[in-house]
Amino acid sequence: MNRPAPRGAVGAREQAMLTIRDLSVEIRAGERTVRPITGVDLDLTRGETLGIVGETGSGKSMTGLSIMGMLPTGSAITSGSIRFDGEELVGADPRSYRALRGRRISMVFQDSLTALNPTRRVGNQVAEPLLLHGLASRGQALRRAEEMLALVGIPRPSERMRDYPHQLSGGMRQRVMIAMALIAEPDLLIADEPTTALDVTIQAEILDLLGRLKEQLGMAMILVTHDMGVVARHADRVGVMYAGRLVETGPTRSLFRQTRHRYTRALLDSIPSLEQDRGVELHSIPGSPPDPAESVPGCRFAPRCAAATERCRTERPRLEGDGGHVFACWNPVTDATAAAPGRALARASAADASTEARLEVVDLVQEHPVSGWAPKGRRRTVKAVSRVSFAVRAGETLGLVGESGCGKSSLGRMLVAMDRPTAGEVRLEDAKVSGVRRRELAPRRAKLQMMFQDSGAALDPKMTIGTILREPLAIQGIGTAAERTERAIALLDAVGLGPSILERYPHELSGGQRQRIGLARALALDPDVLVADEPVSALDVSIRSQVLNLMRTQQRERGLSSVVISHDLAVVRYLSDRVGVMYLGKIVEIGATDEVYERPAHPYTAGLLAAVPVADPDAPAPDQAERVRGELPSPLDPPSGCRFRTRCPLATELCAAVEPVLEAVGAAHEVACHFPLQPKTGDATGASEPTPRPATEEAA
Amino acid sequence: MTTAHPELSEKTDVIVATATAARPLPVRAVLRALRRNPMAVTGASLLLLLALFSFAGPLLYPTNQTDVNLLDALLPPGEGYPLGTDPNGFDVLGRLMLGGQVSLEIGLLAAVFATTLGTVYGAVAGLAGGVVDAIMMRFVDVLLAIPFLFFVLIIAARFTATPLTLSLVIGGFSWLVSARLIRGEVLSLRVREFVQAARLMGAGDQRIIFTHLIPNTFGVIIVNLTFQVADAILVIAALGFLGFGLSYPVTDWGSQLSSGVAYITAGNWWLIYPAGLCIVLVVLGLNLLGDALRDVLDRRR
Amino acid sequence: ASKVDPSQYHTIPAASGKAVDGGVVTIAMTPGLAPNYIFPYPPAAANGAVIGNDLMWRTLYRADADGKSNADTSLASAPAYSDEGRTVTIAMKKNSWSNGKPVTAGDVVFSLAILKAAVAQSAANWAFYTPGQFPDGVTATAQGTDTVVLTLEKAYNPAYLESLLQQLVVIPSADWSIAASGGPVLDYTDPANASAIYTFLTGQSSDQSTFATNPLWQVVNGPFSLKSFEPTTGSFSLTPNKAYTGPGKHALERVDFKAFTSAAAIYNQYQAGTITVGRLDSSYSSKIEELRAKGYNVYAAPAPARSDPLVINFANTAGGFDKIIAQPYVRQALQHLVDQPGYIKSRGVYNGAASENYATVGLGSVFPPDFGDKALYPFDPKAAEKLLTAHGWKVDKAGTICEKPGAGSDRCGEGIAQGQKIAFTLASASSPSYVGARDLAFSSEAKKLGIDVKVVSKSLNYMYENYTNPGAPANTNEWAMQDSGPLVMASYPTANGVFNTDGSFNLGSYSNPEADKAIEASVFGSDPKALSAETTLLSKDLPVLFLPTPDNLIVWRSTLSGPPDTFEGLLKFIYSPEQWYFTEKQKQ
Amino acid sequence: MISYLLRRILISLLVLIGISIVIFVMLHLISDSPGRVVLGPQASAAAVEAFNRENGFDRPLFVQYVDYVVQLLHGDLGRSYKLNEEVSVLFAQNAGRSAVLSLAGLVLALAIAIPLGILQAVRRNTVVDRAATGIAYLLYATPSFLVALLLIALLSQLVPLFPAEASQSPSPWVVFTDPRAMALPLITLALTNVVVFSQYQRSAALEQLGMDYITVARAKGAPERIVLMRHLLRNACIPLITLVGVMIPTLLAGNLIVESVFNYPGLGLLFLNSLHREDYPVLLAYTLIGGALTVLGNLLADLVVASADRRIELSR
Ligand SMILES: Nc1ncnc2c1ncn2[C@@H]1O[C@H](COP(=O)(O)OP(=O)(O)OP(=O)(O)O)[C@@H](O)[C@H]1O
Ligand SMILES: Nc1ncnc2c1ncn2[C@@H]1O[C@H](COP(=O)(O)OP(=O)(O)OP(=O)(O)O)[C@@H](O)[C@H]1O
Ligand SMILES: [Mg+2]
Ligand SMILES: [Mg+2]
């Protein structure tokens, strides 16, 4: 094990199309020198998909940009080589590099809104690579672009050609990006987080599309992502990056099944998944990634690694291993050290069905008027929340999931009386808290608290943490100054932070720490109800589990009634006792978490679950028929009847005419569907198998 | 002990503590950052230099700026008069100091007036929102659309200019930009999550305004103030140049330059360029400082 | 800036050289005096500056620079007086309109009727009008075509009457007595008709674009008619009226009057050699040699009948100013603070190009005060201080105060309170630059005696509109003194209107019963000495403070020649280009 | 698009009405008795009163305002009694010259500023960029009249290349027919505007350069020239359009000063002369026109931006 790995062992296989050796990049910004990647080795063969995973800042994008020869100004490749088809790219002259770009190597970027030129028509942008490389005349190029748009699944491509990027939805834009990257039929496609900004449903479609096209065109692909699930399903081989280094790489199955690097292992363990035992605490990696400007002599992961030894801190491990599965770790994971199950969590006892509802929501409606002038009565409104009712018992956690824009946040804000509902009401322990005056609300104000998504924005940058934590007490006039400080220290302790942090300012904390402060503050007033809106979606994987665990502990210990909002089904599953699935302002399914996840009754829920990539290469490919297709209709005028019908494979005329209401399909499980996937309790006709109908690509 | 992970908390503390070893107060941090910024250093030195020149200069170089000296009028620079004399026989160097005092005072006063008015107006509009905001901002649009210099000129032509009235008039027209700026800032702050968090804790409007909104607009206000001073000095100069400046015994750089222009065909350069240079330097200094401040404050956001 | 020697430019070269025909004379008009009106009796509302004043329509009597009527250029011979001066008989000379009709006695009667209609509509419509005086109480009748008889209710001093007749522009009764274009000729002796005619003519004159084309305005009796007018700038061109019968050879092909916005612009054009004739103010006196080197003749002199007064506002009650200034000794003390020789010498004020003046009638008048050119109250701060201390003031640089209030020869004077300070505002015209400089010097001198004079720079128009007590009584307390540049008297320089108690030009509400009496004597009496007596009295009493009179520079191309008095006339804006000629052929 | 357009026009109209009110009020604060102003100091109080009565200046303010607006709608900007001319006629005579000068100065400034700003952005933090920024700071701090005076001293007196006075010809096209005489005014206008535009353009271009679509264009293999011309230029100019719209009052003020220094007979000089004459109808009419121009400019700028960048209509 101590023997340094021979160079050749890195799996330099035959007919490698792309070979990267010992690649290091430096970025100079003022006095700081950042080394975003150090000594990276990679290989890629024709037709292969290489997934690169890693947390934010680990150097994934830099690797991709190095291959493209498009590093940001101020950065330079300091060592190493990149060979593409036998040609050395490091130091290649700009002309020949340009001839390669867009024609033989293409790239798809993450943010499709800024990656498309806002002032040029989509068609022209897609056709541009052909023209730039002189591969076609203008007319031909445009025709080809239209074909390409059709190929990536854009309906009515000839009309879309003349659209501007902003006229397309996020998913459509991403497809345009792909069409643009592929129009010249490149040999290598680098897709840098092509789906991160998208909903799971659309992510699944896009990734499948990419896989299909790759096959069709016989390309190789580098798929950059931070989502272990995505690589598990879509990559042939996987490289794991940490702090600018490639720490482990190997065939997907081998990497997931025989994970060797401690970091990879920790990462996999800390991801909440749809299968894992909810009674067991998530593994979490302490601390946060190092500053890329600092050079560390040993293993960069050592400070956060439970198995780190002295050697790890002083000596840099090299990639070694065999069979194309190599890793850089002094104390690799063996079967013996593999995942010890996490600590079990005490099940909250308070949350049994007998307890009375603490928070009640009755027919809640929220409609935002569309900005702009219109005659009264004809004002168009965004139907963000439409007649939603549910209840949360003391000590119970309700999760809300759904695609972006389905009204989760709008609902959440009404629950804590931040926004007034358009209709309906929210009741806390039988007292109305929605739509009442500030004065009337005052005694119950403190009982309703919220934890925000971006705690960076939720903490006043001009206040110290101490002031921030004391503020709720000060507002409510609780205790003396000294008592408040005491309380603040206790809160910090509760969220796992030391009192030394009191004098700091928010910008001096890491994202994870800030999110804990956000939680601490929400708890400061001992609330009865805590709404957490996307509490971890801004956090990186390794930090996410720290916060999730903390939240769960606090929920249980304090007997809070909480509502957890997230578009991430796994997060909701991990935190909640019950879960509600929202679609276009409505709750379409609600029930005990295990019930809903194991036996989804609504086709939408099933589709969502099917779309979530599982971090297991052996997981069966999801049923294509269950997929939710197309895009979310506009909340300005939602479809009649069942709002999901436009995307539902089971929809009939009935769905358009009659709006389904929530009906029980189990003991603690309700669904609003005419053709539920589970038999309705006490309703014979509902249990009959609905006639499956072929799904159409095109949503009306 | 309710801590979830005692071992975890200690570790993270260590890591973060090394990353941000010092925890200075923002003001001091800003000052330190400014000291390292060449733009800020240049700007501040220029301002300091001109302020010293104007306010301390007369102590070192006293001149008679009240008694007209008919015989020594319009002398070129030379012995006894390092920068010559003006048509009234005043020593130009000494007069520059006097003009500097007035120009700087008016600039500052106008800027403070404009910024205060603008901040209050903008904050009220931003906080009120809805119809009130719309009406208030349309009013600002209206005034903003009217060429400001024209208005000031009409007023200056109509009423006798004194340093105080000039500051009020200039301030009275330049608050619009501040108002817009602060309103924008308040609007964006108002929906920022930390303000909502405070509301959630039951904070009233007063608390929101004074402990959250105002401290967070402070940077913008200061930066704006710097530019306002610079702009006010330019406006006074333009007014002076067009003949609507101050008159004896007070003077400002613009008026000095303006009275000098009448003698341009006579080649009396010392009546024009020294005053011009002073204006350029002080405005340059203010702009440099303002931009540097904005950079520094922006980076801290 | 070198000192100038005035003796260098006090003479006008005699007419010389052989006249060549043709050539265009370009005359620079005084900045800010762009004309905007053509009808020679502009209403007040038009703020009229008349185009080519005096060149298209001649007055009954035409004055020279010295104010005397010129027998050659006047339309009538000298008036004959009878009935103790209440009947004036005027014999018309033979002159004709440009359309061939003769200039008749009827035209004079018509002109007077129109003038009466004008002042009847608004007293402000004629600048020389004092209600109750000319043309009120004047009846004009035509006896035949050649004789006009004026019957006066009250006899005027003949010289005064003649100075008024010098303002009576004679206009064509045959062509202009209509009230609509192409309308019937009306009987203008009916005041209602006269009023309608006046309204019609002023209406016609409000459309600037038709000035050069309206056939009405082509009927002239002067040496020129309008060729073109540029409304934007006020520049215009004149062509000779071939039917003109007065003196002058009419050698020129065209006369262009060019408007300018600043003296500097005029000077630039001299440098470029694009103008032939024009005026510059005294601040350009140091440039005389340069101009001569460029081929210009330069003549400079103070304008006749011009004085530069520091107008005192006797009605200003702010800070008790009215009470203080009512004291003659205070005015004398203040006059002692005006350093006329110093201002003239200073490079920053007149740079040598000015003369001392201590009389209301200006320099070299034929009606001089009995003390001549002497300074009654010469620059003497000591004397000023003595006057103040002698009257119970405690003179202190930090602020002079009255110690002994009350009436009495050694007391401050009636109405002046104990501890009263002398502090007041002096409104100073923003241009030309010597105005500000001299006021500043005065203020500085006053400060040394503890008198606080606050100098405020204002535009001339602003002062005209806001700082005249009869016109704008509301602003009385805003100013205590004003220096709006020159005050120019008519050719019979009585202070009627200026310093009599009810005078329409009495800007500072000066009121002195003795002066009123003296003025009455010079206006209505027949004693030619009366005016000198009036001048003496006023100049001694200091209704204003006197400042030096600056020289005006007349600059013309040395290839242009003509009778010297036609160039001297330019000092008083009297243009006689019909008498000029080039001595060299002009390039086109 | 249509509804956006209508909304913008509606708001512009509102602002215009506001401007007319402000200016009307201003007119009345400044000279409460037009009769006195018109007839002059010698007119009797009765005559002034009669004048005010005849011209309706004694009616309630609101009625007068309605009248004023009706007049404005008929293109009647009032009458300059001092110049014996309709203000609209005065403007018609002068506006051409000013407009041509302003536009030429603006076009010249943009022609310099756009490439310069982009160059600075592309070569940011190099010597070129730093030098240009330094000069911009210096020029920005220099009042435009001082720039003009320095130009006269340098290019007219020291090295007599151009005349110190602008062309006095009444033709509006002198900028083209007599470029030598118009060189200094144009250079002054251009210089003072270039510094503002180029710095703005630089930061706009910098912001766009940081956008992914630029990276994408490079990733397509586009040479730098095409990246800049086809992708950057248009997007980086959009903020500048808005700026030009917003800067109209500043541009007018700049014109005022340049026309004053170079004695160029345009609207600016007319304004200044009227200021000295206290000719309020002209002053306020010009201010009104300036306001209207600004509103119109902003409207146009918004529409151009909206048509250049279709995202706008959605985001509002
Ligand atoms: N222009 C730049 N100047 C300085 N540092 C940079 C620059 N671009 C990237 N970096 C740094 O380089 C490191 C690697 O960045 P990179 O974008 O490759 O990360 P990544 O793995 O793609 O992260 P993400 O998941 O957030 O996209 C980061 O620490 C980042 O801060
Ligand atoms: N203030 C508002 N004005 C107008 N429309 C709004 C407003 N807030 C939200 N909406 C609209 O209401 C709908 C629901 O928004 P909401 O933020 O509740 O969704 P979400 O489920 O939280 O989405 P995400 O997952 O993206 O946060 C969206 O279409 C959104 O555009
Ligand atoms: Mg990245
Ligand atoms: Mg949300």
Side-chain angles (χ1 to χ4, degrees), chain C residues 15-54:
Chain C
S16 65
K18 227 178 90 59
V20 289
D21 270 356
V24 176
V25 165
T26 305
I27 300 174
M29 289 188 282
T30 309
L33 285 186
N36 62 11
Y37 218 71
I38 188 156
F39 179 54
Y41 294 106
N47 276 277
V50 172
I51 295 172
N53 189 11
D54 198 36

Side-chain angles (χ1 to χ4, degrees), chain B residues 71-233:
Chain B
L71 294 183
D72 283 354
L74 284 181
L75 290 178
E79 218 174 305
Y81 301 111
L83 278 179
T85 59
D86 74 357
N88 305 310
F90 292 131
D91 178 73
V92 169
L93 183 61
R95 202 138 191 87
L96 279 180
M97 296 172 180
L98 184 65
Q101 292 176 14
V102 177
S103 291
L104 290 173
E105 280 165 10
I106 297 182
L108 198 65
L109 198 63
V112 168
F113 179 55
T115 310
T116 314
L117 189 62
T119 303
V120 172
Y121 191 93
V124 168
L127 279 176
V131 186
V132 178
D133 175 46
I135 292 175
M136 286 177 83
M137 290 329 281
R138 279 300 94 75
F139 180 62
V140 168
D141 283 351
V142 165
L143 291 188
L144 219 47
I146 300 174
F148 151 68
L149 187 65
F150 293 16
F151 243 1
V152 174
L153 274 172
I154 295 177
I155 292 178
R158 181 74 195 175
F159 303 102
T160 305
T162 67
L164 186 69
T165 55
L166 261 191
S167 330
L168 290 185
V169 169
I170 295 175
F173 279 97
S174 41
W175 59 273
L176 302 166
V177 178
S178 317
R180 268 200 169 172
L181 204 68
I182 299 300
R183 169 186 174 263
E185 199 68 14
V186 167
L187 274 189
S188 82
L189 283 174
R190 204 169 66 129
V191 297
R192 283 272 290 278
E193 291 181 348
F194 70 83
V195 175
Q196 305 196 354
R199 284 215 188 279
L200 211 62
M201 297 175 298
D205 285 341
Q206 233 173 356
R207 186 179 186 92
I208 302 260
I209 294 172
F210 289 105
T211 63
H212 294 287
L213 297 184
I214 290 188
N216 278 293
T217 47
F218 209 67
V220 181
I221 294 175
I222 292 284
V223 170
N224 182 249
L225 185 77
T226 325
F227 293 133
Q228 291 271 13
V229 178
D231 289 350
I233 288 181

Side-chain angles (χ1 to χ4, degrees), chain C residues 457-472:
Chain C
S457 179
K458 287 283 164 195
S459 77
L460 266 182
N461 277 278
Y462 187 85
M463 294 204 278
Y464 287 164
E465 269 162 26
N466 299 289
Y467 292 172
T468 56
N469 291 340

Side-chain angles (χ1 to χ4, degrees), chain A residues 517-541:
Chain A
I517 300 293
L519 177 59
R521 178 177 57 185
L523 298 176
L525 291 174
D526 255 333
D528 288 341
V529 173
L530 178 68
V531 173
D533 189 355
E534 306 278 7
V536 294
S537 58
L539 300 179
D540 228 322
V541 200

Side-chain angles (χ1 to χ4, degrees), chain C residues 125-146:
Chain C
N125 282 348
W126 195 51
F128 303 91
Y129 178 60
T130 307
Q133 296 187 14
F134 188 92
D136 295 354
V138 179
T139 320
T141 41
Q143 296 189 345
T145 52
D146 296 344

Side-chain angles (χ1 to χ4, degrees), chain A residues 199 384 403-408 584-585 632 635:
Chain A
D199 270 318
E403 284 169 287
S404 180
C406 67
K408 305 183 295 292
L584 263 189
L632 202 64

